[in-house]
Amino acid sequence: MTDTNLDWKNLSFGYIRTDFNIRSYFRDGAWTKPELTSDETVTMHMAATALHYGQEAFEGQKAFRGADGKIRVFRIDENAKRLRASADYLKMAMPPVELFTDMVRQVVRANERFVPPYGTGASLYIRPVLFGTGPQVGVKPASEYLLIVFVTPVGPYYKEGFNPIRVIIDRDHDRAAPLGTGHIKAGGNYGASLTSAEIGHEKGYPSVLYLDAKEKKHIDECGAANFFAIRDGRYITPKSHSVLPSITNMSLMTLAAEMGLQVEQRVVDYDELGTFDEAGSCGTAAVISPIGSIYDPENGRTFAYNDGKPGPWCEKLYHKLRAIQYGEEPDTHGWMTVL
């Protein structure tokens, strides 16, 4: 059953109200039983640590209506583990994996009519968000937390869809400090990227490529996504404390190895940009966005890939992962949870 009032094939990547979200509170040392609600607002103390000290982390995942009509959610356990890692680093209460996965299952089922039909290219985006609600004036962790999971149907993250995007290097801003919070999915990392993203958009670039904050010699991340490249039969992706462990990238590395590519997760030098056959960014929102070109305003250099078309390996990896997510191919790794 789907909501036929929506134009599924022309959805943007934005917020559309659905029927329910689900919430669990951490109070007196324990998590409450999750409750569904239609309320889109949150009331909390003006001294809540989320507002003052950045005690906030979130996740992004998707549910898909498969070729068989069944609803599948991608790698729930990995999102649960990553949220726990974020919570641990920010000294928030860590939601149990079982609580997280139960809340995701419940809220997707409750909003089943908003899961886009198979074949439309759209999906149901799932946003778990955890934040400190307890009041605290000193710089200390809160005693109370709220975990919310809400959903919204979405289309492509970039208006270009799977077509290559233009990327600009930003040397004037950093999204995360070398030993800071880049390795967790904290909201502050994304707040730190808004200025450079806006500057990039004003110049006509949908995404910004960040170099390492310490030396500006190595590739860090591509906007809000991981960077990867293909060269000489190798899948190459940066390894750094400042790079978020992308669940999509983790999955692509597994598929790349199975397809015969040698996977290298390591420090990637700026000087390698001119040697790659293909480049791309990857994450939950877009899966893979092929990169057509990377422009460096400092020296005027442009690194172009595959004549502005999606590279063959980007295409193979993209379609392989999408086929698994939509139930078109066997899920040999047990990545999909069928509801």
Side-chain angles (χ1 to χ4, degrees), residues 12-24:
S12 64
F13 197 91
Y15 178 75
I16 295 173
R17 179 171 185 164
T18 54
D19 293 330
F20 300 100
N21 61 83
I22 192 167
R23 307 181 182 195
S24 176

Side-chain angles (χ1 to χ4, degrees), residues 37-181:
T37 177
S38 58
D39 188 358
E40 296 176 284
T41 64
V42 176
T43 300
M44 59 184 174
H45 198 284
M46 62 185 176
T49 59
L51 302 177
H52 297 267
Y53 306 126
Q55 273 203 303
E56 183 276 344
F58 68 97
E59 280 297 317
Q61 51 196 128
K62 285 182 177 180
F64 308 86
R65 194 176 297 276
D68 55 5
K70 296 179 180 178
I71 297 172
R72 291 169 170 81
V73 185
F74 185 61
R75 305 201 76 168
I76 300 181
D77 288 356
E78 292 299 330
N79 286 101
K81 293 173 187 175
R82 193 169 65 180
L83 184 64
R84 284 177 57 82
S86 297
D88 186 35
Y89 192 82
L90 295 174
K91 297 306 163 194
M92 297 192 288
M94 295 190 292
V97 171
E98 296 77 11
L99 173 69
F100 180 97
T101 56
D102 177 58
M103 290 176 69
V104 170
R105 288 169 182 264
Q106 283 196 55
V107 77
V108 172
R109 287 195 183 104
N111 292 287
E112 180 177 351
R113 72 190 186 97
F114 290 96
V115 181
Y118 172 73
T120 60
S123 56
L124 187 73
Y125 186 76
I126 305 166
R127 171 54 61 84
V129 58
L130 171 69
F131 49 95
T133 54
Q136 190 66 261
V137 176
V139 184
K140 301 175 183 177
S143 58
E144 296 184 359
Y145 297 89
L146 173 58
L147 174 61
I148 298 177
V149 185
F150 68 86
V151 299
T152 188
V154 296
Y157 186 74
Y158 293 111
K159 65 180 180 180
E160 291 86 352
F162 186 63
N163 293 315
I165 59 173
R166 299 168 67 237
V167 175
I168 187 171
I169 293 175
D170 186 352
R171 298 173 184 270
D172 299 323
H173 303 90
D174 298 315
R175 56 170 290 278
L179 297 177
T181 58

Side-chain angles (χ1 to χ4, degrees), residues 251-260 317 320-321 324 333 335:
S251 306
L252 292 173
M253 284 189 274
T254 298
L255 297 178
E258 291 178 349
M259 292 179 176
L317 290 165
K320 179 70 174 180
L321 185 53
I324 294 170
H333 298 285
W335 289 343

Side-chain angles (χ1 to χ4, degrees), residues 215-238:
E215 299 180 288
K216 301 293 184 181
K217 293 181 179 178
H218 314 298
I219 306 304
D220 192 348
E221 284 208 324
C222 192
N226 277 192
F227 175 87
F228 73 92
I230 307 294
R231 183 182 66 214
D232 300 329
R234 289 176 287 169
Y235 181 102
I236 303 166
T237 191

Side-chain angles (χ1 to χ4, degrees), residues 162-314:
F162 186 63
N163 293 315
I165 59 173
R166 299 168 67 237
V167 175
I168 187 171
I169 293 175
D170 186 352
R171 298 173 184 270
D172 299 323
H173 303 90
D174 298 315
R175 56 170 290 278
L179 297 177
T181 58
H183 66 296
I184 62 171
K185 204 167 176 65
N189 298 339
Y190 298 83
S193 72
L194 293 176
T195 293
S196 58
E198 185 172 286
I199 292 171
H201 288 159
E202 289 173 352
K203 294 180 178 179
Y205 294 89
S207 189
V208 171
L209 184 66
Y210 295 99
L211 303 180
D212 74 285
K214 186 176 182 179
E215 299 180 288
K216 301 293 184 181
K217 293 181 179 178
H218 314 298
I219 306 304
D220 192 348
E221 284 208 324
C222 192
N226 277 192
F227 175 87
F228 73 92
I230 307 294
R231 183 182 66 214
D232 300 329
R234 289 176 287 169
Y235 181 102
I236 303 166
T237 191
K239 183 177 180 62
S240 164
H241 186 271
S242 296
V243 172
L244 180 72
S246 163
I247 296 167
T248 301
N249 198 7
M250 182 195 315
S251 306
L252 292 173
M253 284 189 274
T254 298
L255 297 178
E258 291 178 349
M259 292 179 176
L261 291 174
Q262 180 180 332
V263 175
E264 296 182 3
Q265 190 174 21
R266 57 171 174 79
V267 173
V268 181
D269 293 336
Y270 166 87
D271 293 339
E272 294 184 65
L273 287 176
T275 70
F276 296 136
D277 301 320
E278 302 177 42
S281 66
C282 60
T284 296
V287 184
I288 288 178
S289 291
I291 294 175
S293 64
I294 299 173
Y295 173 63
D296 187 349
E298 182 175 89
N299 53 34
R301 294 183 67 184
T302 297
F303 305 96
Y305 305 104
N306 208 54
D307 297 324
K309 303 173 184 175
W313 280 108
C314 281

